[in-house]
Amino acid sequence: MTTTTIGFALFATRWLQAPLYFGLVAAQGVYVYKFFYELWTLLVRCVSGQATETYVMLAVLKLVDVVMIANLLIMVIVGGYETFVSRIGLQGHRDQPEWLSHVNSNVLKVKLATAIVGISSVHLLQMFVDVHHTSHHSLLWGTVIHMAFIASAAILAYMSGPMAAHRAADHAPHKGDRGQGTGTDAAPTAAVTAAVCSVPIPAQASAPHPAIDANANVHANADAGTEARVRAAGFPARKLLEDFDEEYPRAFDRETVARLGKLDFVAARRNVVFVGPPGTGKTHLAVGLGVRACQAGHSVRFATAAEWAARLAGAQDAGRLAEELAVLDDHALLIVDEVGYTPFQAETAALFFQLVAHRYERASLIVTSDRPLGRWDEIFGGPSALAMVDRLAHHVELVRIDGDSYRMRRATSAWAE
């Protein structure tokens, strides 16, 4: 208990950094004032005819310099706060920056290094433009310092590659992983991709360069690992988010699905529930997110609700339900398809409750259903239904899809022809 309390206390000290980021916000305000002061001075001198071409160029470079430093500040403020203090809840905001979804301390350092190189380039250019008023000593050291910044950024960028590869290797599935499930809910598609995206490297008469050969092997291994994870997941078909026919449903939250495609919910151990009538694309979207998770190095398992019920019931009958739930912990994402098409008895509802409760705040679930969570008492009998919904909905991204069945529309069109 004492160790846990100390750990929580030490973790809470991250909030000591919050005033530092607000201080940087004040510094950004200073640079805003500096920008408009320099701009006003430039405009006044241009209107009065006192601005030479060299002066205008130097003044514009100063403005660029101020903007680049302001960009550096906002990168440190937003990225640093998100990484080291607390998550910023921008989910669903139309202006959410793309890079914020995968920011970490390593990425932040590389971005800062490249921003500093850009600022140093502007300063060095200013020195060369005003070379008549700059000493040779200043030019020499300015060039040396700029080259040092470039070398530092290159070293950081090089180091980020092995670190990212090491993290991906840590998330790779074990060889013994095997998939289960054969979900059946079809989805609207513009085109269904069924081939594996891996291009063999043709043989060459001469031996390849070692560096190129090593890089090719890395990509080949990555493609093979992705394909192995997709096969083990047990998807009924390979469906991609890009192939979803977004024009068909009458109501469809495109922004939420696009945000889910960044897989933040997997890292945050949140759940996703797709709700809508049959044939509106719930399974397609669930499989699309599952395939993308496989591509990101996560282990995924797909099955219908009936198949999950049979699997859990079999484990319980064998007296190994706890072991089965522990095995499922190895998978970052489980997909439960077609909840609601078949009602379950109280015993089966209790098994689903144990699955949801076991993964609560530990790993992610994607569920597709034809009924909202408030009506799941119609699906699951017994007192455990309410408790299951409570845990599932606590950290959930709910996507509602409204429309007619895509399959029925195609069947009707074929009949009309």
Side-chain angles (χ1 to χ4, degrees):
M1 181 65 181
T2 303
T3 304
T4 303
T5 303
I6 294 175
F8 287 159
L10 290 176
F11 185 62
T13 59
R14 73 191 191 281
W15 288 102
L16 293 175
Q17 294 190 38
L20 304 183
Y21 292 108
F22 285 107
L24 291 178
V25 172
Q28 184 152 349
V30 172
Y31 270 97
V32 171
Y33 169 78
K34 176 72 173 176
F35 178 89
F36 284 104
Y37 176 81
E38 295 289 347
L39 179 62
W40 176 256
T41 304
L42 172 62
L43 292 176
V44 169
R45 295 194 64 169
C46 287
V47 171
S48 62
Q50 301 177 4
T52 63
E53 183 178 355
T54 301
Y55 172 80
V56 172
M57 187 178 298
L58 289 173
V60 171
L61 286 175
K62 283 184 179 179
L63 296 177
V64 172
D65 188 29
V66 170
V67 171
M68 293 184 71
I69 294 177
N71 290 340
L72 177 62
L73 279 173
I74 197 64
M75 194 180 302
V76 174
I77 293 169
V78 178
Y81 187 91
E82 167 86 5
T83 302
F84 300 110
V85 180
S86 185
R87 292 183 62 83
I88 301 176
L90 296 180
Q91 289 78 10
H93 195 285
R94 62 181 182 180
D95 294 331
Q96 179 184 4
E98 185 274 335
W99 57 267
L100 196 59
S101 65
H102 52 264
V103 69
N104 54 53
S105 58
N106 195 41
V107 172
L108 189 59
K109 285 186 290 186
V110 174
K111 287 182 175 291
L112 292 179
T114 53
I116 291 173
V117 169
I119 294 171
S120 175
S121 301
V122 173
H123 278 274
L124 190 60
L125 181 59
Q126 285 178 307
M127 296 172 67
F128 278 103
V129 169
D130 198 24
V131 67
H132 297 295
H133 299 89
T134 306
S135 66
H136 293 290
H137 182 270
S138 298
L139 283 175
L140 174 63
W141 280 107
T143 304
V144 170
I145 293 173
H146 180 63
M147 296 305 296
F149 284 144
I150 293 177
S152 300
I155 292 172
L156 280 174
Y158 172 78
M159 291 174 62
S160 67
M163 291 179 181
H166 179 70
R167 285 196 301 272
D170 289 341
H171 288 89
H174 299 292
K175 293 182 180 179
D177 281 350
R178 300 179 61 186
Q180 304 238 358
T182 58
T184 58
D185 186 20
T189 60
V192 177
T193 304
V196 181
C197 185
S198 57
V199 181
I201 302 175
Q204 301 291 335
S206 59
H209 190 280
I212 297 177
D213 187 48
N215 190 46
N217 288 335
V218 169
H219 287 291
N221 291 336
D223 291 340
T226 296
E227 177 58 18
R229 286 188 291 272
V230 171
R231 284 199 305 267
F235 299 123
R238 186 188 297 263
K239 297 179 181 294
L240 305 179
L241 293 177
E242 293 81 1
D243 295 332
F244 186 77
D245 187 357
E246 297 184 356
E247 302 302 323
Y248 178 66
R250 287 194 297 267
F252 171 62
D253 193 344
R254 294 168 179 79
E255 291 186 359
T256 298
V257 173
R259 175 165 45 80
L260 291 173
K262 300 177 182 179
L263 303 180
D264 286 350
F265 74 96
V266 178
R269 301 177 178 86
R270 296 175 63 87
N271 303 316
V272 178
V273 176
F274 291 105
V275 178
T280 51
K282 303 183 296 297
T283 300
H284 186 137
L285 293 174
V287 172
L289 289 176
V291 171
R292 187 164 292 186
C294 291
Q295 294 169 343
H298 299 295
S299 181
V300 181
R301 289 296 178 270
F302 176 100
T304 64
E307 289 165 342
W308 281 116
R311 178 171 177 171
L312 296 174
Q316 185 181 50
D317 292 342
R320 51 179 302 275
L321 180 59
E323 290 81 354
E324 182 70 14
L325 293 175
V327 168
L328 294 177
D329 284 342
D330 293 336
H331 311 305
L333 177 61
L334 299 184
I335 301 177
V336 183
D337 195 29
E338 299 180 347
V339 172
Y341 298 113
T342 303
F344 295 105
Q345 300 298 323
E347 295 79 6
T348 306
L351 292 175
F352 271 103
F353 167 74
Q354 292 192 58
L355 175 64
V356 173
H358 184 79
R359 294 184 69 83
Y360 176 65
E361 295 186 336
R362 181 179 300 179
S364 297
L365 284 167
I366 293 181
V367 181
T368 72
S369 177
D370 64 340
R371 276 171 261 193
L373 295 176
R375 293 178 54 194
W376 274 24
D377 57 335
E378 303 171 4
I379 306 169
F380 297 99
S384 58
L386 182 60
M388 176 176 57
V389 170
D390 180 68
R391 284 168 173 78
L392 184 66
H394 183 209
H395 304 295
V396 72
E397 295 280 358
L398 185 63
V399 179
R400 299 181 184 275
I401 307 175
D402 186 25
D404 300 323
S405 171
Y406 188 81
R407 291 184 292 267
M408 290 299 297
R409 186 191 72 164
R410 297 187 63 180
T412 303
S413 300
W415 177 80
E417 294 174 358

